[in-house]
């Protein structure tokens, strides 16, 4: 549905911190499914951990936040021009849990659902999966603001 070029028109993040490769499904105001292919060439694996590469939990949460940011910004009813003047700030991440390690070669799928949506505030239920196995979950709260 959205490739990385289209994602970069929505999010300000760039390599090495753009953590969403593709959006496969999205219903504005409701939910989004997106993914990131985890490669051994990720810079984070140089130090986490040499000889035993594990994708950091904080990066999984950031990927969920970025997928949620795409959903929030696309759900705000903004024109493409207005979208260029907005950014999303995450206010809180609650109930974060990590259930299974994510390793190079995994396809990390973010499944994000809207719990609450107001004009500039969004509360999301975030889950991350590898091969339909839940690897992480959290509740995310964010605000859409002017740049």
């Amino acid at each position: 549905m959205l490739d990385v070029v289209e994602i970069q028109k929505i999010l300000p993040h760039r390599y090495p911190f753009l953590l969403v490769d593709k959006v496969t499904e999205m219903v504005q105001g409701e939910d989004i499914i997106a993914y990131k292919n985890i490669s051994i060439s990720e810079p984070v694996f140089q130090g986490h951990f040499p000889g035993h590469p594990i994708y950091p939990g904080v990066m999984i949460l950031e990927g969920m936040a970025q997928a949620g940011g795409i959903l929030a910004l696309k759900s705000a009813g903004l024109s493409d021009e207005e979208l260029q003047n907005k950014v999303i700030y995450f206010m809180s991440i609650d109930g974060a849990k990590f259930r299974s390690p994510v390793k190079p070669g995994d396809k990390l799928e973010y499944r994000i659902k809207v719990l609450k949506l107001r004009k500039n505030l969004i509360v999301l239920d975030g889950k991350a999966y590898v091969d339909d196995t839940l690897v992480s979950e959290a509740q995310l709260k964010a605000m859409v603001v002017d740049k």
Side-chain angles (χ1 to χ4, degrees):
M1 181 167 193
L2 296 175
D3 65 20
V4 73
V5 173
E6 294 165 306
I7 290 167
Q8 288 180 351
K9 292 176 184 173
I10 301 165
L11 295 179
H13 306 79
R14 296 296 180 265
Y15 176 85
F17 214 63
L18 179 58
L19 303 179
V20 179
D21 291 336
K22 190 168 195 171
V23 173
T24 55
E25 295 179 35
M26 180 171 48
V27 177
Q28 291 181 14
E30 292 185 25
D31 59 15
I32 189 169
I33 298 175
Y35 69 82
K36 168 148 184 65
N37 290 308
I38 307 301
S39 168
I40 190 61
S41 64
E42 304 282 342
V44 71
F45 290 130
Q46 293 176 22
H48 199 272
F49 300 101
H52 185 68
I54 301 292
Y55 195 64
V58 70
M59 301 294 278
I60 297 170
L61 291 176
E62 175 63 24
M64 278 193 246
Q66 289 182 20
I70 294 167
L71 177 60
L73 289 166
K74 291 299 278 183
S75 298
L78 303 169
S79 69
D80 288 344
E81 185 177 313
E82 290 171 319
L83 193 59
Q84 297 305 306
N85 296 315
K86 298 290 183 182
V87 69
I88 188 153
Y89 289 162
F90 272 83
M91 301 162 52
S92 68
I93 299 175
D94 297 315
K97 293 184 174 85
F98 305 100
R99 305 197 175 278
S100 184
V102 177
K103 301 174 188 167
D106 286 342
K107 179 180 178 180
L108 184 59
E109 185 176 81
Y110 308 116
R111 301 178 193 171
I112 314 295
K113 294 189 182 299
V114 172
L115 297 176
K116 187 184 298 183
L117 179 62
R118 295 204 181 126
K119 182 175 171 83
N120 64 345
L121 176 74
I122 190 164
V123 180
L124 303 163
D125 175 58
K127 290 186 170 39
Y129 294 82
V130 172
D131 297 328
D132 285 326
T133 298
L134 181 65
V135 296
S136 183
E137 60 187 310
Q139 189 177 94
L140 312 164
K141 187 183 293 182
M143 182 178 282
V144 176
V145 297
D146 293 328
K147 281 187 182 173

